[in-house]
Each structure stands twice: as C-alpha cells, then as structure tokens.
Amino acid sequence: LVQLVESGGGSVQTGGSLKVSCEVSGYTYKQYCFGWFRQVPGKAREGVAALDSDGSRSYADPVQGRFSISLDNDKKTLYLQMNNLKSGDTAKYYCATIDEAYCNDNDCFCSRSPEYFRTWGQGTQVIVSS
C-alpha cells in the first residue's frame, strides 16, 4: 500500500522561501512519476511540478524558475523547494504518485494532470502574505 505524507507547509512573506516534503512509503514499482499539486477552495487542483524515474522534470508556467522538485531516494522523500514566493502561491499543496497503469518496464507517462495520479497525500497548507 503506497502512502504519502506531506509536511513543511506554513506561513511565509512574499519573496520568501519554503521547502515542503513528501515521505513516500510502500512504493515498490521500478519506474515512477511523482508530482506536486496545489489547490485553493473553489478552484480545480492544478499540477505544479512532476519528476520521473528518468530524472525529467516539468513545471507549470507560473512556477517555472522559482520552484524545484527533487527526490531523495535514500530518504524516500520528495521535495518541492519554493523560492520567491508570491501571494498567488497560497494553496494547499499535495504530492501524488501516478497510476501504475501509465508505466511500463522502461518509464512512465509523466504528466502534471491530476487525473493520471492515483495515490495522494493529505496536503500541507502554504500561506504567502505581504
């Protein structure tokens, strides 16, 4: 059973930095695609960043150049480093693993679209204020 637990959210001032973490357990598949998403009340969940087992990373346009996704294999922890934060980054942040149906022995279809992701964490709140 795959389980994801996010941590590290909090309040930060505009222009500040924050690093959120996602502890991954129970994931045994050889290939992977992990993603970070965010959601504000009343709006759809949006993909922020994704990382696959080939080391490829993708970012949504609003965070390109400011956010960085990484994985520590030894600690089995996924990270999202967020720099130069803006008020529009205020949201609940979730990590997720892609549905294994989109993976084969060589790689995974790694998308930032939420509908392809199967297992989700509970989320961690990030508030950016001036």
Side-chain angles (χ1 to χ4, degrees):
L1 177 65
V2 179
Q3 291 186 308
L4 307 172
V5 179
E6 299 96 335
S7 62
S11 296
V12 63
Q13 289 190 325
T14 303
S17 297
L18 200 62
K19 188 175 185 177
V20 292
S21 304
C22 171
E23 187 174 341
V24 182
S25 61
Y27 192 90
T28 59
Y29 202 70
K30 181 181 178 182
Q31 308 298 335
Y32 60 80
C33 171
F34 296 131
W36 280 101
F37 301 81
R38 64 187 183 187
Q39 189 171 24
V40 297
K43 291 191 175 182
R45 190 169 296 187
E46 64 170 342
V48 173
L51 169 67
D52 70 14
S53 43
D54 290 336
S56 296
R57 293 165 168 81
S58 69
Y59 298 94
D61 287 344
V63 308
Q64 182 73 44
R66 299 188 297 122
F67 288 16
S68 178
I69 186 172
S70 62
L71 175 69
D72 186 324
N73 274 306
D74 292 337
K75 295 182 179 179
K76 300 187 187 304
T77 301
L78 182 73
Y79 300 100
L80 184 69
Q81 175 68 47
M82 302 181 287
N83 299 324
N84 190 21
L85 282 160
K86 305 176 180 181
S87 58
D89 297 319
T90 294
K92 195 165 189 178
Y93 284 73
Y94 299 86
C95 60
T97 65
I98 206 157
D99 190 327
E100 294 84 10
Y102 297 104
C103 300
N104 57 34
D105 288 343
N106 298 312
D107 58 18
C108 294
F109 170 69
C110 198
S111 166
R112 293 194 310 273
S113 296
E115 63 264 33
Y116 295 107
F117 287 77
R118 179 176 182 178
T119 304
W120 295 81
Q122 83 290 348
T124 185
Q125 183 69 45
V126 172
I127 299 172
V128 184
S129 58
S130 56

